[in-house]
């Protein structure tokens, strides 16, 4: 009788497992090391690199307690916190799953247990700001700035009696100016359906509020012995200038870079000469584009420019007459060095 320690011989079967071996050493089992610092897979015997771009799948439990101001011990694990939301942001979200009754009940119960009205309000506002900015192809940095401004208002509990749509319109208007892509009251009205009068009121109130918040934060920092970072402070916006609008309007009209540059320089000279003193930036920018497009040989009609700038063609012609009267002071001789540029291209008044 065979002993209990005797092993039953297993039948032969093919090993279908895939092994990485060094093509030079051909050692079995292979002596392979993974260097996560450089992302390489290296043979330990001869040093041949067998693979690159190796992803480190280990947990990252490194801590930076010495760098933390609160002297706690944060572990660098998990997703980064969203600065636009409050709280620890470590809640678990239960999805609907397969849509069964049990999944819906779990989802509903979890929502009730972790319901935060403040966070829900912020998320709804952020969603609306993102949708409005995307609708008009406004850059993402403007959208992020508007969300940050709205959070400052929400955290301070200011403007309780104002409609959320009005505050959002004001934040988008200020964010556009802060990011050097200004929009007019008329454009914000067309985007948000908030009246220009309301936008003007909330704009002045928000400017005053943000300036006060910035001053209070700076005073607190100075009293604590710190230094105010000028890049981290709120800068009061200035009124929109005509040369800032020329870039966008020329791009929408399909004008070349030279004509755009001439219209900007013309708008800058116009303010120095005082040819269109008292005119709105919209009318001034439209008149400068009309003047520059004809001067440079790429004429655009007043009707085409009015469709982009949002001013009547009669206003453009009236403003153009004032520019034409001062054309000797406004036209730079370097502009006429272009191939199609000619002062005779200007329409007769």
């Amino acid at each position: 009788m065979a002993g209990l320690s005797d092993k039953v011989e297993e039948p032969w079967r093919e090993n279908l497992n895939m092994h990485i071996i060094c093509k030079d050493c051909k050692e079995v089992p292979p002596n392979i090391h993974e260097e996560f610092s450089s992302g390489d897979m290296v043979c330990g015997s001869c040093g041949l690199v067998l693979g690159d771009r190796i992803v480190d799948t280990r947990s990252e439990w490194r801590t930076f307690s010495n760098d933390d101001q609160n002297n706690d011990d944060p572990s660098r694990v998990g997703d980064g916190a969203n600065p636009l939301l409050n709280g620890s942001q470590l809640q678990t979200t239960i999805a609907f799953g397969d849509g069964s009754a049990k999944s819906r009940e779990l989802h509903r119960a979890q929502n009730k247990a972790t319901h935060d009205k403040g966070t829900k309000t912020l998320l709804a506002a952020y969603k609306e700001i993102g949708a409005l900015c995307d609708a008009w192809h406004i850059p993402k940095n403007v959208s992020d700035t508007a969300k940050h401004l709205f959070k400052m208002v929400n955290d301070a509990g200011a403007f309780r009696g104002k409609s959320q749509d009005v505050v959002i319109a004001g934040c988008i208007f200020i964010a556009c100016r802060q990011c050097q892509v200004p929009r007019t009251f008329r454009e914000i009205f067309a985007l948000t359906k908030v009246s220009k009068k309301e936008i003007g009121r909330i704009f002045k109130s928000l400017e005053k509020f943000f300036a006060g918040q910035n001053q209070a934060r700076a005073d607190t920092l100075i009293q604590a012995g710190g230094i105010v970072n000028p890049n981290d402070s709120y800068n009061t916006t200035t009124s929109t200038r005509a040369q800032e609008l020329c870039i966008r309007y020329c791009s929408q009209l399909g004008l070349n870079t030279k004509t755009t540059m001439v219209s900007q320089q013309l708008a800058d000279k116009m303010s120095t000469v005082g040819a269109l003193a008292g005119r709105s930036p919209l009318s001034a920018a439209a008149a400068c584009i009309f003047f520059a497009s004809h001067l440079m040989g790429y004429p655009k009609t007043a009707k085409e420019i009015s469709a982009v700038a949002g001013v009547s063609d009669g206003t453009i012609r009236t403003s153009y007459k004032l520019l034409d009267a001062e054309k000797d002071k406004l036209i730079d001789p370097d502009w006429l060095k272009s191939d199609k540029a000619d002062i005779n291209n200007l329409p007769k008044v």
Side-chain angles (χ1 to χ4, degrees):
M1 184 176 180
L4 296 176
S5 60
D6 295 343
K7 296 182 179 179
V8 178
E9 186 176 348
E10 295 183 1
W12 180 89
R13 57 182 179 179
E14 185 179 2
N15 186 3
L16 299 178
N17 294 326
M18 297 181 64
H19 297 278
I20 299 178
I21 63 174
C22 178
K23 63 181 181 180
D24 292 344
C25 300
K26 297 182 180 180
E27 294 179 344
V28 180
N31 183 20
I32 296 176
H33 300 280
E34 293 181 348
E35 296 183 356
F36 293 110
S37 59
S38 59
D40 295 333
M41 185 180 294
V42 184
C43 175
S45 300
C46 65
L48 179 67
V49 178
L50 303 177
D52 57 356
R53 297 185 180 181
I54 304 300
V55 178
D56 189 356
T57 58
R58 299 172 299 176
S59 299
E60 185 181 12
W61 291 109
R62 294 181 297 150
T63 59
F64 299 86
S65 55
N66 294 333
D67 298 336
D68 189 59
Q69 298 178 357
N70 298 325
N71 296 323
D72 55 0
D73 193 20
S75 294
R76 289 183 44 132
V77 177
D79 193 11
N82 188 350
L84 296 174
L85 296 177
N86 298 320
S88 60
Q89 306 173 28
L90 297 176
Q91 298 88 353
T92 301
T93 302
I94 299 178
F96 280 103
D98 55 359
S100 61
K102 184 176 290 187
S103 298
R104 290 196 301 270
E105 289 177 5
L106 284 172
H107 180 75
R108 192 180 299 112
Q110 192 266 346
N111 279 342
K112 289 181 180 179
T114 61
H115 177 71
D116 186 358
K117 188 176 181 180
T119 303
K120 190 175 181 181
T121 303
L122 286 175
L123 289 174
Y126 295 160
K127 184 178 180 180
E128 185 174 354
I129 291 173
L132 291 173
C133 292
D134 291 343
W136 276 41
H137 306 289
I138 297 176
K140 187 178 184 301
N141 62 328
V142 177
S143 175
D144 294 339
T145 303
K147 292 175 183 178
H148 176 67
L149 295 176
F150 183 86
K151 184 177 184 298
M152 292 175 61
V153 174
N154 186 79
D155 290 347
F159 307 104
R160 290 288 187 184
K162 289 287 185 180
S163 170
Q164 181 173 292
D165 295 337
V166 175
V167 178
I168 287 175
C171 290
I172 293 176
F173 181 80
I174 294 176
C176 289
R177 286 193 173 184
Q178 291 281 337
C179 297
Q180 308 302 320
V181 285
R183 296 295 189 271
T184 61
F185 286 123
R186 189 177 301 170
E187 290 174 305
I188 299 298
F189 161 68
L191 175 64
T192 61
K193 306 305 178 185
V194 177
S195 66
K196 291 186 287 184
K197 190 174 183 180
E198 283 291 335
I199 296 173
R201 287 176 178 174
I202 194 64
F203 163 67
K204 292 180 180 178
S205 301
L206 284 173
E207 282 271 87
K208 187 177 180 181
F209 168 76
F210 292 138
Q213 288 274 47
N214 182 58
Q215 187 62 39
R217 185 167 60 252
D219 292 343
T220 304
L221 188 60
I222 292 174
Q223 290 176 2
I227 300 175
V228 179
N229 184 5
N231 297 325
D232 195 28
S233 58
Y234 177 81
N235 298 320
T236 305
T237 59
T238 57
S239 59
T240 304
R241 297 178 298 171
Q243 50 264 43
E244 294 174 343
L245 299 174
C246 287
I247 303 176
R248 185 154 48 90
Y249 292 164
C250 288
S251 176
Q252 293 176 3
L253 289 168
L255 294 172
N256 57 20
T257 307
K258 182 65 176 177
T259 307
T260 303
M261 184 184 67
V262 170
S263 65
Q264 284 185 279
Q265 294 177 357
L266 181 63
D268 191 28
K269 281 190 172 185
M270 169 209 68
S271 59
T272 305
V273 175
L276 294 180
R279 295 280 176 174
S280 69
L282 290 173
S283 304
C288 290
I289 293 173
F290 183 80
F291 188 102
S293 64
H294 283 82
L295 178 66
M296 303 305 293
Y298 300 94
K300 293 292 181 180
T301 63
K303 193 171 183 180
E304 290 176 305
I305 299 174
S306 67
V308 172
V311 294
S312 65
D313 50 352
T315 303
I316 296 175
R317 292 192 184 94
T318 304
S319 301
Y320 168 74
K321 291 179 182 178
L322 299 175
L323 291 177
D324 186 74
E326 302 287 346
K327 62 183 178 182
D328 295 335
K329 298 179 181 178
L330 294 174
I331 296 178
D332 191 335
D334 293 337
W335 300 348
L336 302 177
K337 294 180 180 178
S338 182
D339 296 336
K340 295 184 177 181
D342 191 354
I343 194 171
N344 295 321
N345 294 335
L346 295 174
K348 301 300 180 181
V349 178

